[in-house]
Amino acid sequence: MPIADSDGTSIYYERHGSGPAILFVHGSGGHHAAWWQQVAALREEFTVLTVDLRGFGKSDSSMAEFDGQDFPGDVVAVLDHEDITDAMLVGQSIGSVAALRAALLRPERVSSVVLGHSLGGISHPELTELAAADRAEAVKLPVIDRLLTTSFQRERADLTFLFQQMGTFNVARMQDLRNLDTNGPSLEEIGASGVRVAFLAGEKDAVLSVKTVTRAHELLAGSHLEIVPDAPHSMYWEAPEQYNTAVARLRRTLTAPKEAA
């Protein structure tokens, strides 16, 4: 059972397959097993790593409270433990914030970051305003309708139920992750890191609009934008084939300037 040490906190992770490394960072309702559809599809070509942030899944959950500012260090602990030097970090929703911060902490270990359904906590007044407007609309919907389309819920009641059950294995909750956005990186800091950034968005994302993600891409020089038609916020779960295809393509094509030098 692989365990990494994150400043005294035990972080559970798994490694599958071989090849260029992809490390998935879950969102507020996930953990390492949420990526079952990605591991099975990608392990033949890539080394696929999945991690439980502290308070989630099998990682240490014994602390009295959780600080989202510690989550990037949990990702870094796995990178250090595996001695990886060219990982592509793939975040889901707020997990993308942890992924981007981890990349900026250890740019020598990360070639690229995919911000899935997230702006990655980038500090920029225009983006903050756009994301807040999207959030104001999202909270009008039931939580499950923000994450999965109603047609999927109707047609795949089994997978919808399993999706909801995933969060019951966690101790930490959404409120424990919110302060990850505090003091986020600037566009200039990201650019100076040498880490390539891609925005991966779903056309039907009810949490973060395509308009907002597109604007972030326009503002972050050198970034990549991938929008998947008809996909919701939890694309990795509802539309795994499209999601996996996009992730594999990004891993094959995104190369950090430091690697090309």
Side-chain angles (χ1 to χ4, degrees):
M1 184 172 70
I3 297 291
D5 180 87
S6 178
D7 291 329
T9 298
S10 297
I11 301 300
Y12 178 86
Y13 72 95
E14 293 186 359
R15 177 174 181 155
H16 303 272
S18 61
I22 302 173
L23 191 157
F24 289 99
V25 185
H26 61 77
S28 60
H31 47 73
H32 73 277
W35 303 106
W36 59 283
Q37 297 179 101
Q38 284 64 58
V39 171
L42 299 172
R43 63 188 173 188
E44 294 301 317
E45 183 179 353
F46 306 102
T47 296
V48 181
L49 298 110
T50 57
V51 60
D52 289 337
L53 300 173
R54 64 185 64 202
F56 293 81
K58 293 185 175 182
S59 285
D60 188 358
S61 303
S62 63
M63 54 282 293
E65 59 183 6
F66 303 94
D67 185 348
Q69 296 287 329
D70 293 326
F71 294 134
D74 298 344
V75 178
V76 167
V78 175
L79 294 172
D80 287 346
H81 193 258
E82 286 290 319
D83 195 22
I84 293 173
T85 57
D86 67 341
M88 181 173 83
L89 306 185
V90 181
Q92 168 59 23
S93 192
I94 203 162
S96 295
V97 183
L100 180 57
R101 290 198 175 204
L104 298 181
L105 286 170
R106 287 287 194 282
E108 71 276 11
R109 295 201 177 280
V110 178
S111 60
S112 56
V113 179
V114 178
L115 304 179
H117 309 274
S118 172
L119 302 183
I122 295 172
S123 178
H124 189 278
E126 182 182 351
L127 295 180
T128 299
E129 184 176 337
L130 288 171
D134 287 345
R135 234 176 355 255
E137 290 301 311
V139 297
K140 297 176 183 178
L141 300 172
V143 173
I144 191 64
D145 289 348
R146 303 174 204 171
L147 308 177
L148 301 172
T149 63
T150 54
S151 59
F152 181 82
Q153 295 175 54
R154 182 176 60 253
E155 296 164 10
R156 294 306 310 265
D158 53 348
L159 287 181
T160 299
F161 176 73
L162 181 59
F163 179 81
Q164 293 172 304
Q165 290 297 103
M166 281 287 173
T168 66
F169 292 90
N170 303 324
V171 176
R173 294 291 179 260
M174 179 66 184
Q175 57 266 32
D176 299 311
L177 283 77
R178 288 193 184 279
N179 71 331
L180 262 173
D181 278 336
T182 304
N183 299 321
S186 67
L187 298 172
E188 292 74 21
E189 288 171 325
I190 298 169
S193 72
V195 173
R196 295 289 303 277
V197 173
F199 295 93
L200 177 58
E203 184 184 33
K204 291 186 177 179
D205 191 334
V207 177
L208 190 67
S209 70
V210 168
K211 174 186 175 183
T212 297
V213 177
T214 300
R215 183 56 181 150
H217 160 62
E218 292 170 349
L219 289 169
L220 183 56
S223 65
H224 181 87
L225 177 64
E226 184 105 13
I227 298 174
V228 178
D230 299 321
H233 186 74
S234 296
M235 185 201 318
Y236 74 100
W237 189 273
E238 180 172 329
E241 290 187 10
Q242 295 96 312
Y243 181 87
N244 297 342
T245 297
V247 168
R249 180 167 55 248
L250 290 169
R251 173 67 262 207
R252 296 185 196 113
T253 58
L254 281 184
T255 303
K258 62 172 183 264
E259 292 184 327

